[in-house]
Amino acid sequence: MSIALSDQDKSTLRTAAYGALSLMAAATGSPHKAATNASIALTSATGLVGHVLAAKAKDIELTGKTVAELADRVLPALTAAMELLDKQAPAEADNFRSTILLAVAAAQVHPGKPSTIAAEMARKITAALDAAGAATADSGAAGQDRPELQKAIEEIVDSGFVGVSLRVHDERGEWVGSAGAAELGGAAKPPTNGHVRIGSSTKTFTATLVLQLVAEGKVGLDTPAADYLPEFGLDERITVRMLLQHTSGLFNFSGEVYDDGTVVLGIPIPYSTTGKEWMDNRFKTYRPQELVELALSKPARFEPGTGWSYSNTNYVLAKLLIEKVTGRSVAEEMRRLILGPLGLSGTVVPDASPEIPEPHAHAYYRYEDAGEQKTIDITRQNPSWISSGGDMISTTQDLHTFISALLGGKLLPAPLLAEMCTPHPTGIPNMDYGLGVFVVKTDGGGTVISHNGAAVGHAALMYGTPDGSKTLTAALNCVDDADLAIATAFQNAQQRLVNEVFCGGQADPAQPTD
C-alpha cells in the first residue's frame, strides 16, 4: 500500500528533522562537527522517511539565533511531525523517531567536555517525540471512544495543572490519554506512561511489604513495634498494625496542625513558612533515623490506639522495621516481593537519589524571594525528606498493575488482604483508612480502595474496586507553592475522575491532599 504525503506534509517532516539537527549543533559548542555527524545520520534513513529527508528542499525555514529561540521552533515542529505520521503513515512514526534520535546521538559525539546544554536539548527532543507519539496514539484513538474522559482531563488542566495523564481499566477495556503539557509553556503533551513521583501512594507499597512479611511469619501484626526497633524507646502499646493504620498517635515529623489551629513545625517542608528553606536545601539528605528521632522529641497526639491521625512517621518506622527484620534494604525487599514478581520495571525506590527516569513531565515550585515571585523546575529533588512516607517513583501502567494485583489477591493471602481493606474511622466523611489504603464510599453506594499522593509539583492517583477489576491511575504535574494553591484543584480533579470512572458522573468525595 502506497502512502501519499502532500508537499506540506513533507515540508513539516523536513523542518522538524533538520531543525533538530540545527538545535543540537547550536547546543554542542562544536556546531560544524555536530551538524556533519547528525546530517549523515539523517541522510541514512530508510523507507518513506528516508525518501522525504533525502530531498533537501529550500522549504526548511527556521529562524532564531540562540538555542532557546531554536528550541521554541523545533520542539513544536517535532510534535507536529509525529502527529502527522501517526495519522497519515503510522508505520513510519517509529522510523522517524529512531532517525531523529540517531541524529541527536551523533551530534553529541565529538571531542571535548560533554555539553550540559546539548544533553538538555537531547532530553527535550526525546520528550517531544515520545509525548507526541504516545499521547496521539493512545488518547487519539481511545479518546474517540471515551470523549468524557478526554474532556475530564482537559478540564483538569484548565483548572490549574500543567499536565495530566490518565489510565482507566474497566469493563470497556483500557483507555489511556493525556492533556496539557510535559513542561511549563511547552507544546509536547505529558507522556502517557511517563515516570512520576507518587508521594503517599508509596504507603500502599510499604504496607503491602510489611503484610507480606507477616505472611512469611517474620512480623506479627499485633506485636509491639518496639520489639523490632528497641533502639527508639517506642511506647510498648504501639503495634505494627497501629503504624500501618495511623493510630499510633506519633507526631508527624513533617509537622502537625492541631484541632485548635495550632501549627507545630517539623523538618522544613514545601508547604509551610519553611517553603523557601526546603527549596534552598532540596538536595539535602535526611536519614530515616533522624526523622523518627525528631518525631519522638515531640508530644504524641493521643494515646496509642485511641484516635486516628495521618503521620509520615509511622511509615518511616515501617521502613526501618522491614530492614531490621530482613537485613536488606526496602528497595531490595520491594524488588523481591513486589516489583520483580509483577514486572514493575518503571517503579523506583530512590532513597536519597534526586534523579527520575525518562520520560517524565516536569514539576515546579513557586516561592517568594526578596519580594519577587520565582518559579523553578524542581523535578530533580532529594526525596529523603519524606522517606517511605512518599518517596517512590512509578508510572500509571505500573500503578494499575500493582493495585489490580493487590486487590485481586495476587500479593497477599485473603485474610491479610481483608485486614488491609478493613475500614477504621478517620473522622473524614465517607472515607476510612485500612492498612496503607483509604476505603472510600461513593455516593452511588459503592466502595473504592485508594491511596493518592502529592510530591511537590507531581501527584499520582491510584484507585481500584475491591476486587481490582476496575482501576483508575493518573499522573499530574503542576506549579506547587507554600500556600498549597493547587490543593482545591487537586481535590476537584480526584472527584471529577472518580465520578466519571466509578460513579457515572455522580458526586463523590475526594481524598485530602498529603
Side-chain angles (χ1 to χ4, degrees), residues 244-292:
L244 302 184
Q245 196 178 56
H246 292 302
T247 54
S248 70
L250 291 170
F251 180 87
N252 187 354
F253 63 79
S254 52
E256 291 278 13
V257 179
Y258 290 86
D259 294 340
D260 63 2
T262 301
V263 176
V264 179
L265 299 178
I267 62 167
I269 63 170
Y271 308 118
S272 75
T273 56
T274 60
K276 185 178 184 302
E277 184 180 352
W278 173 85
M279 194 280 302
D280 289 340
N281 295 280
R282 65 190 181 280
F283 296 111
K284 176 179 177 177
T285 296
Y286 290 89
R287 298 320 307 159
Q289 292 81 358
E290 68 180 292
L291 299 176
V292 171

Side-chain angles (χ1 to χ4, degrees), residues 194-197 345-348 355-361 393-394:
H195 295 84
V196 62
R197 297 188 187 277
S345 59
T347 301
V348 179
E355 306 303 331
I356 179 170
E358 295 280 4
H360 59 256
I393 295 165
S394 193

Side-chain angles (χ1 to χ4, degrees), residues 35-46 53 99-104 106-107:
T36 300
N37 290 347
S39 182
I40 292 171
L42 289 182
T43 55
S44 68
T46 59
L53 297 185
T99 298
I100 299 302
L101 293 183
L102 181 62
V104 166

Side-chain angles (χ1 to χ4, degrees), residues 45 52 74 92 197 214 270 303 349 420 450 502:
V52 171
V74 171
E92 288 293 317
R197 297 188 187 277
V214 171
E303 296 293 309
V349 183
M420 185 181 217
S450 173
F502 298 101

Side-chain angles (χ1 to χ4, degrees), residues 131 135 139 149-167 175-183 188-194 196 361-362 396 457-461 472-478 486 489-490 493-494 497:
S139 65
L149 295 181
Q150 186 65 36
K151 180 182 178 183
I153 59 177
E154 288 171 357
E155 290 179 354
I156 289 169
V157 170
D158 291 341
S159 75
F161 282 86
V162 177
V164 181
S165 59
L166 172 67
R167 185 177 301 269
W175 187 91
V176 183
S178 69
E183 296 188 57
K189 289 183 179 181
T192 52
N193 198 39
V196 62
H362 283 242
T396 59
H458 273 176
L461 306 183
L472 178 166
T473 57
L476 305 92
N477 60 309
C478 66
I486 198 69
F490 185 39
Q494 296 171 66
L497 293 175

Side-chain angles (χ1 to χ4, degrees), residues 19-32 34-35 64-68 70 107 115 117-118 121:
L21 181 156
S22 298
L23 177 58
M24 289 304 299
T28 59
S30 300
H32 179 71
K65 297 180 181 179
T66 69
V67 171
L70 281 169
S115 167
I117 298 176
M121 288 305 107

